[in-house]
């Protein structure tokens, strides 16, 4: 991969930073997210062709607001500031930014007032954009001019041709700016000069080189669950280091129905990978007994997972590296930006449950990829479509789909109900059209009538959502007949359930998983 074909995204705490990186990659240009306070020397080690300054929740005129190293603006690289990024650019060059009398959140019409290559290919001089700001630019710095405005924002697009700097007050990376991808493409191709030569094939090649350089002659251990992420990570690492990889499959008792048998059959049988099977069901359930806080459950599951790993890994010579199928959504939801904290949504098994004394070094080859990109890597590596297109499954498994304390009998009820959901979604042709479809066990009982007798049994919630990357999601508008059929089968076939409900909450405000 040509390292010059890359754009660095300085992250100032925006919830959309990962989407900026995604849009860049859709232009066949490699992108990397780095901290807002990165030094110019460190940034230039990757030789980026341009820089994008992300949005963020802070105000540039507030004390302690995150401001980049001033040397970033002296590198001679094209720069695009988005929202907060525009405002800090104005402040850096002695312009004026202040709190706006009228905040601007939501859709707005951008009026292009000056022709520029940043607008190449747009449908007209008026385009819809998405605003999300409470501050505004009052005075431009010397050398800057305005290229477009909205009814509420005079300086909606600004530029300094001499410095090759652009600023957008709106968010081109979100779907609510329909032609935003064209603007990002224009920045990458027209302004930064990228040719668009990066793709999943080149990503695989560079990842293989990086894995080999990192691992050397040591041994790598990977926790294989059978899901998309761990399966693709296993295939990628095996391509890089071959027999230096050993996969350990830990049965934590929180797996889907027949999951253990399937993983052993597919990977140890069909793919001939070195696979160690460790059944730790009783240990996990004992540790989780009586624990109802979701974050505590995640930490326990993550800690015990590594504990079992360490026990099995001690039997493997030269085991120095632990590989994980961590992806971008895992990272974004689990960490906050240094010096500018955003709210922690939830910790993930892959990134939030590792004990400090873990003896392995981490290898995370999918850490910068979204789910659809992970699937494409899997296809390139020759994994079967059944595995590549499998829906996401959380690292803590059914432990976060049994709401509250985890009990063995409740897990069995959930497994059987969840199996019916998957069966019927596949039969109806909706499984591969949705992002996730699963059952949730609720810790409540309701009165019912079955066979002229009163029942007082459990409730199952159906969670079925549509999404492209897991960062946002909407509940699936499935046919009523399909929902009725799933409900009838669960109530008739799963002992202990007398009521099924359907979750119609989008993300945001909810998350996809209930815990």
């Amino acid at each position: 991969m040509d390292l010059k074909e890359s754009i660095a995204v300085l992250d100032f705490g925006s919830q959309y930073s990962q989407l900026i990186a995604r849009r860049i990659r859709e232009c066949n240009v490699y992108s990397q997210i780095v901290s807002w306070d990165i030094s110019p020397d460190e940034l230039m080690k990757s030789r980026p062709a341009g820089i994008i300054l992300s949005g963020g929740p802070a105000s540039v005129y507030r004390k302690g607001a995150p401001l980049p190293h001033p040397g970033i603006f002296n590198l001679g690289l094209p720069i695009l500031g988005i929202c907060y990024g525009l405002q800090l650019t104005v402040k850096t060059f002695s312009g004026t930014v202040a709190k706006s009398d009228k905040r601007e959140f939501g859709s707005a019409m951008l009026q292009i007032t000056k022709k520029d290559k940043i607008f190449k290919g747009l449908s007209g001089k008026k385009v819809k954009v998405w605003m999300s700001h409470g501050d505004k630019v009052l005075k431009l710095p010397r050398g800057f001019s305005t290229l477009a405005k909205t009814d509420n924002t005079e300086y909606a697009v600004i530029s300094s041709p001499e410095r090759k700097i652009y600023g957008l007050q709106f968010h081109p990376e979100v779907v609510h700016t329909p032609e935003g991808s064209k603007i990002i493409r224009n920045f990458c191709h027209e302004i930064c000069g990228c040719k668009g030569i990066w793709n999943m094939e080149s990503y695989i090649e560079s990842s293989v080189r990086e894995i080999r350089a990192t691992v050397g002659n040591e041994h790598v251990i990977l926790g294989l669950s059978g899901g998309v992420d761990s399966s693709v990570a296993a295939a990628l690492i095996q391509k890089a280091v071959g027999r230096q990889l050993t996969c350990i499959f830990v049965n934590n008792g929180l797996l889907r129905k027949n999951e253990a048998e399937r993983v052993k059959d597919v990977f140890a049988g069909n793919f001939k990978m070195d696979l160690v099977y460790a059944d730790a069901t009783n240990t996990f359930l004992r540790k989780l007994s009586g624990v109802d806080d979701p974050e505590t459950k995640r930490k326990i599951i993550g800690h015990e997972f590594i504990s079992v790993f360490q026990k099995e890994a001690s039997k493997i010579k030269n085991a120095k590296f632990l590989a994980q199928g961590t992806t971008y959504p895992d990272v974004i939801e689990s960490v906050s930006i240094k010096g500018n904290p955003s709210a922690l949504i939830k910790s993930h098994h892959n990134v939030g449950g590792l004990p400090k004394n873990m003896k392995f070094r981490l290898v995370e080859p999918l850490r910068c990829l979204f789910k659809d990109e992970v699937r494409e890597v899997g296809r390139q590596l020759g994994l079967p479509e059944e595995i590549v297109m499998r829906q996401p499954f959380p690292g803590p498994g059914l432990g976060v789909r049994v709401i509250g304390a985890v009990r063995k009998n409740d897990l069995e009820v959930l497994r059987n109900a969840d199996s019916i959901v998957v069966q019927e979604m596949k039969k109806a042709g909706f499984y591969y059209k949705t992002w996730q479809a699963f059952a949730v066990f609720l810790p409540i009982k309701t009165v019912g009538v079955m066979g002229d007798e009163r029942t007082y049994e459990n409730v199952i919630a159906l969670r079925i959502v549509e999404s492209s990357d897991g960062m946002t999601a909407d509940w699936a508008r499935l046919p009523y007949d399909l929902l009725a059929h799933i409900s009838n089968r669960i109530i008739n076939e799963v002992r202990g359930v007398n009521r099924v409900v359907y979750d119609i909450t989008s993300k945001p405000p909810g998350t996809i998983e209930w815990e």
Side-chain angles (χ1 to χ4, degrees), residues 131-192:
M131 292 286 193
S132 181
H133 65 102
D135 296 333
K136 67 187 302 182
V137 176
L138 299 182
K139 179 183 177 183
L140 288 180
R142 179 177 297 178
F144 282 79
S145 62
T146 180
L147 304 180
K149 63 181 181 179
T150 68
D151 289 342
N152 189 52
T153 302
E154 182 179 356
Y155 307 114
V157 181
I158 65 172
S159 75
S160 173
E162 182 182 346
R163 301 183 181 96
K164 295 185 290 187
I165 295 177
Y166 285 80
L168 310 176
Q169 186 57 76
F170 60 90
H171 288 274
E173 70 274 22
V174 301
V175 295
H176 305 295
T177 300
E179 299 190 71
S181 293
K182 294 180 182 178
I183 294 175
I184 292 178
R185 179 177 294 275
N186 289 337
F187 177 72
C188 294
H189 292 183
E190 302 296 326
I191 297 168
C192 297

Side-chain angles (χ1 to χ4, degrees), residues 12 51 153 157 163 169 181 209 242 288 320 359 411 501:
F12 291 88
I51 299 170
T153 302
V157 181
R163 301 183 181 96
Q169 186 57 76
S181 293
R209 289 196 299 269
L288 290 169
K320 299 290 179 65
K359 73 173 186 177
L411 282 169
V501 298

Side-chain angles (χ1 to χ4, degrees), residues 62-82:
R62 302 275 186 182
K63 183 179 180 180
L67 301 175
H69 190 293
I72 294 294
F73 292 94
N74 297 323
L75 295 174
L77 296 176
I79 293 176
L80 174 64
I82 296 176

Side-chain angles (χ1 to χ4, degrees), residues 308-321:
V308 175
F309 242 70
Q310 289 176 323
K311 180 179 179 181
E312 297 299 329
S314 64
K315 307 171 186 176
I316 301 172
K317 188 177 180 180
N318 296 326
K320 299 290 179 65
F321 292 88

Side-chain angles (χ1 to χ4, degrees), residues 24 44 65 88 133 190 285 407 422 433 457-458 497 515:
I24 295 169
M44 290 306 293
L88 69 84
H133 65 102
E190 302 296 326
L285 294 184
R407 290 177 285 269
V422 174
K433 295 179 181 178
E457 294 180 333
N458 300 298
V497 178
E515 288 193 340

